[in-house]
Amino acid sequence: MAARLPSSNFHTKAPMHGTLANPMWSSLTTSHAGFAHACGPLLRFAPDVAPFCAVEHAGADLGALDCMHRGEIVYFLGVAPALAAGWKLESAFQVLQMVYDARRAPGAPCQTPAVALGEADIGAMLDLTALAYPEFFRPRTAALGHYIGVHTPHGLAAMAGQRLASTGYREISAVVTHPAHGGMGHAAHLIRQLSGMILAEGRTPYLHVSASNKRAWALYENLGFVPTRELHSVKIRIA
């Protein structure tokens, strides 16, 4: 019998949002269905887009898969399958999900809008995200949504963008500031601008942060994001 991954450990602190309990599956079956690669009951993003896979139900038995490559690292968030033959559980950790509540958001200060990032910026985006998220931002991640940033004469100082999307919701992700430009309010400015863009299209912003990253957690709360639940995440190596 296949080994089973630890079950999700939810600690609800705000009203639940059902579509976000399994955010990868929700994204891959709605707004990002065009990015979904199906392999039996599993859906995944292409490796050059994101390292995430999803199943609809916890403990799903995947059987033999031909959509994984030896040595590849993949992640599941919130809902995970049984471990397939040859899969190695590398780590398990908690991710805090936070959903925007406009009633808690402060008034946005008047600032120059950050610039849109495009194909010409991919190299700089990869370099910057490698400082904080070396496994998660890939060459085609920016195709999932709008990414914006702050340029300086010395390069890209800060960036943030939109990753997952589903009915009624869009995720803010890849919030990174270069250490040389910390303390200038770049992250807050980018998040405010992205939140406004998402609200303008009729969706609610949300984001994920390591449950142990209390500094980022506090920043997001100050910007109007409410801790909603903890999602269990697992990192798997295909042996």
Side-chain angles (χ1 to χ4, degrees), residues 169-182:
Y169 297 94
R170 189 178 285 277
E171 180 199 32
I172 294 176
S173 181
V175 181
V176 190
T177 299
H178 192 284
H181 300 279

PDB file of all heavy atoms in Angstrom, residues 169-182:
ATOM      1  N   TYR A 169     -10.904  34.956  -7.397  1.00  0.00           N
ATOM      2  CA  TYR A 169      -9.688  35.208  -6.630  1.00  0.00           C
ATOM      3  C   TYR A 169      -8.453  35.237  -7.531  1.00  0.00           C
ATOM      4  O   TYR A 169      -8.395  34.556  -8.565  1.00  0.00           O
ATOM      5  CB  TYR A 169      -9.485  34.117  -5.562  1.00  0.00           C
ATOM      6  CG  TYR A 169     -10.575  34.074  -4.535  1.00  0.00           C
ATOM      7  CD1 TYR A 169     -11.665  33.206  -4.685  1.00  0.00           C
ATOM      8  CD2 TYR A 169     -10.547  34.907  -3.433  1.00  0.00           C
ATOM      9  CE1 TYR A 169     -12.681  33.181  -3.751  1.00  0.00           C
ATOM     10  CE2 TYR A 169     -11.568  34.879  -2.490  1.00  0.00           C
ATOM     11  CZ  TYR A 169     -12.626  34.011  -2.657  1.00  0.00           C
ATOM     12  OH  TYR A 169     -13.636  33.990  -1.735  1.00  0.00           O
ATOM     13  N   ARG A 170      -7.454  36.034  -7.110  1.00  0.00           N
ATOM     14  CA  ARG A 170      -6.163  36.018  -7.787  1.00  0.00           C
ATOM     15  C   ARG A 170      -5.068  36.190  -6.735  1.00  0.00           C
ATOM     16  O   ARG A 170      -5.167  37.028  -5.833  1.00  0.00           O
ATOM     17  CB  ARG A 170      -6.068  37.123  -8.842  1.00  0.00           C
ATOM     18  CG  ARG A 170      -4.832  36.996  -9.718  1.00  0.00           C
ATOM     19  CD  ARG A 170      -4.773  38.067 -10.781  1.00  0.00           C
ATOM     20  NE  ARG A 170      -5.693  37.864 -11.878  1.00  0.00           N
ATOM     21  CZ  ARG A 170      -5.444  37.070 -12.923  1.00  0.00           C
ATOM     22  NH1 ARG A 170      -4.325  36.369 -12.976  1.00  0.00           N
ATOM     23  NH2 ARG A 170      -6.326  36.973 -13.901  1.00  0.00           N
ATOM     24  N   GLU A 171      -4.032  35.368  -6.862  1.00  0.00           N
ATOM     25  CA  GLU A 171      -2.950  35.345  -5.875  1.00  0.00           C
ATOM     26  C   GLU A 171      -1.852  36.347  -6.205  1.00  0.00           C
ATOM     27  O   GLU A 171      -1.432  36.486  -7.351  1.00  0.00           O
ATOM     28  CB  GLU A 171      -2.349  33.932  -5.818  1.00  0.00           C
ATOM     29  CG  GLU A 171      -1.210  33.792  -4.823  1.00  0.00           C
ATOM     30  CD  GLU A 171      -0.348  32.566  -5.090  1.00  0.00           C
ATOM     31  OE1 GLU A 171      -0.198  32.186  -6.271  1.00  0.00           O
ATOM     32  OE2 GLU A 171       0.192  32.009  -4.125  1.00  0.00           O
ATOM     33  N   ILE A 172      -1.369  37.033  -5.174  1.00  0.00           N
ATOM     34  CA  ILE A 172      -0.166  37.862  -5.273  1.00  0.00           C
ATOM     35  C   ILE A 172       1.017  37.012  -4.820  1.00  0.00           C
ATOM     36  O   ILE A 172       0.953  36.348  -3.785  1.00  0.00           O
ATOM     37  CB  ILE A 172      -0.295  39.123  -4.410  1.00  0.00           C
ATOM     38  CG1 ILE A 172      -1.398  40.027  -4.974  1.00  0.00           C
ATOM     39  CG2 ILE A 172       1.030  39.876  -4.332  1.00  0.00           C
ATOM     40  CD1 ILE A 172      -1.682  41.256  -4.138  1.00  0.00           C
ATOM     41  N   SER A 173       2.080  37.022  -5.599  1.00  0.00           N
ATOM     42  CA  SER A 173       3.209  36.130  -5.330  1.00  0.00           C
ATOM     43  C   SER A 173       4.517  36.805  -5.734  1.00  0.00           C
ATOM     44  O   SER A 173       4.527  37.896  -6.320  1.00  0.00           O
ATOM     45  CB  SER A 173       3.018  34.824  -6.112  1.00  0.00           C
ATOM     46  OG  SER A 173       4.073  33.923  -5.877  1.00  0.00           O
ATOM     47  N   ALA A 174       5.628  36.124  -5.428  1.00  0.00           N
ATOM     48  CA  ALA A 174       6.975  36.585  -5.803  1.00  0.00           C
ATOM     49  C   ALA A 174       7.232  38.013  -5.336  1.00  0.00           C
ATOM     50  O   ALA A 174       7.770  38.840  -6.075  1.00  0.00           O
ATOM     51  CB  ALA A 174       7.182  36.460  -7.309  1.00  0.00           C
ATOM     52  N   VAL A 175       6.857  38.294  -4.096  1.00  0.00           N
ATOM     53  CA  VAL A 175       7.130  39.615  -3.518  1.00  0.00           C
ATOM     54  C   VAL A 175       8.568  39.600  -3.007  1.00  0.00           C
ATOM     55  O   VAL A 175       8.870  38.978  -1.991  1.00  0.00           O
ATOM     56  CB  VAL A 175       6.148  39.933  -2.370  1.00  0.00           C
ATOM     57  CG1 VAL A 175       6.429  41.324  -1.806  1.00  0.00           C
ATOM     58  CG2 VAL A 175       4.704  39.826  -2.848  1.00  0.00           C
ATOM     59  N   VAL A 176       9.462  40.259  -3.719  1.00  0.00           N
ATOM     60  CA  VAL A 176      10.882  40.213  -3.386  1.00  0.00           C
ATOM     61  C   VAL A 176      11.484  41.612  -3.491  1.00  0.00           C
ATOM     62  O   VAL A 176      11.232  42.331  -4.464  1.00  0.00           O
ATOM     63  CB  VAL A 176      11.665  39.286  -4.340  1.00  0.00           C
ATOM     64  CG1 VAL A 176      13.090  39.083  -3.812  1.00  0.00           C
ATOM     65  CG2 VAL A 176      10.979  37.954  -4.527  1.00  0.00           C
ATOM     66  N   THR A 177      12.282  41.971  -2.503  1.00  0.00           N
ATOM     67  CA  THR A 177      13.065  43.206  -2.543  1.00  0.00           C
ATOM     68  C   THR A 177      14.535  42.843  -2.385  1.00  0.00           C
ATOM     69  O   THR A 177      14.899  42.050  -1.511  1.00  0.00           O
ATOM     70  CB  THR A 177      12.655  44.161  -1.411  1.00  0.00           C
ATOM     71  OG1 THR A 177      11.279  44.519  -1.566  1.00  0.00           O
ATOM     72  CG2 THR A 177      13.503  45.432  -1.434  1.00  0.00           C
ATOM     73  N   HIS A 178      15.385  43.409  -3.231  1.00  0.00           N
ATOM     74  CA  HIS A 178      16.818  43.156  -3.111  1.00  0.00           C
ATOM     75  C   HIS A 178      17.299  43.701  -1.762  1.00  0.00           C
ATOM     76  O   HIS A 178      16.889  44.796  -1.352  1.00  0.00           O
ATOM     77  CB  HIS A 178      17.562  43.830  -4.254  1.00  0.00           C
ATOM     78  CG  HIS A 178      18.988  43.380  -4.376  1.00  0.00           C
ATOM     79  ND1 HIS A 178      19.972  43.827  -3.518  1.00  0.00           N
ATOM     80  CD2 HIS A 178      19.582  42.513  -5.241  1.00  0.00           C
ATOM     81  CE1 HIS A 178      21.122  43.266  -3.854  1.00  0.00           C
ATOM     82  NE2 HIS A 178      20.912  42.455  -4.883  1.00  0.00           N
ATOM     83  N   PRO A 179      18.155  42.974  -1.048  1.00  0.00           N
ATOM     84  CA  PRO A 179      18.619  43.433   0.277  1.00  0.00           C
ATOM     85  C   PRO A 179      19.200  44.845   0.259  1.00  0.00           C
ATOM     86  O   PRO A 179      19.093  45.573   1.255  1.00  0.00           O
ATOM     87  CB  PRO A 179      19.694  42.394   0.638  1.00  0.00           C
ATOM     88  CG  PRO A 179      19.286  41.169  -0.103  1.00  0.00           C
ATOM     89  CD  PRO A 179      18.694  41.645  -1.395  1.00  0.00           C
ATOM     90  N   ALA A 180      19.799  45.249  -0.849  1.00  0.00           N
ATOM     91  CA  ALA A 180      20.386  46.583  -0.929  1.00  0.00           C
ATOM     92  C   ALA A 180      19.335  47.683  -0.968  1.00  0.00           C
ATOM     93  O   ALA A 180      19.656  48.865  -0.793  1.00  0.00           O
ATOM     94  CB  ALA A 180      21.284  46.688  -2.163  1.00  0.00           C
ATOM     95  N   HIS A 181      18.067  47.302  -1.184  1.00  0.00           N
ATOM     96  CA  HIS A 181      16.998  48.291  -1.300  1.00  0.00           C
ATOM     97  C   HIS A 181      15.894  48.068  -0.272  1.00  0.00           C
ATOM     98  O   HIS A 181      14.777  48.541  -0.441  1.00  0.00           O
ATOM     99  CB  HIS A 181      16.412  48.249  -2.711  1.00  0.00           C
ATOM    100  CG  HIS A 181      17.408  48.535  -3.788  1.00  0.00           C
ATOM    101  ND1 HIS A 181      17.789  49.806  -4.126  1.00  0.00           N
ATOM    102  CD2 HIS A 181      18.136  47.690  -4.569  1.00  0.00           C
ATOM    103  CE1 HIS A 181      18.704  49.757  -5.095  1.00  0.00           C
ATOM    104  NE2 HIS A 181      18.933  48.489  -5.383  1.00  0.00           N
ATOM    105  N   GLY A 182      16.216  47.348   0.793  1.00  0.00           N
ATOM    106  CA  GLY A 182      15.235  47.087   1.826  1.00  0.00           C
ATOM    107  C   GLY A 182      14.918  48.328   2.647  1.00  0.00           C
ATOM    108  O   GLY A 182      15.694  49.291   2.694  1.00  0.00           O
TER     109      GLY A 182
END
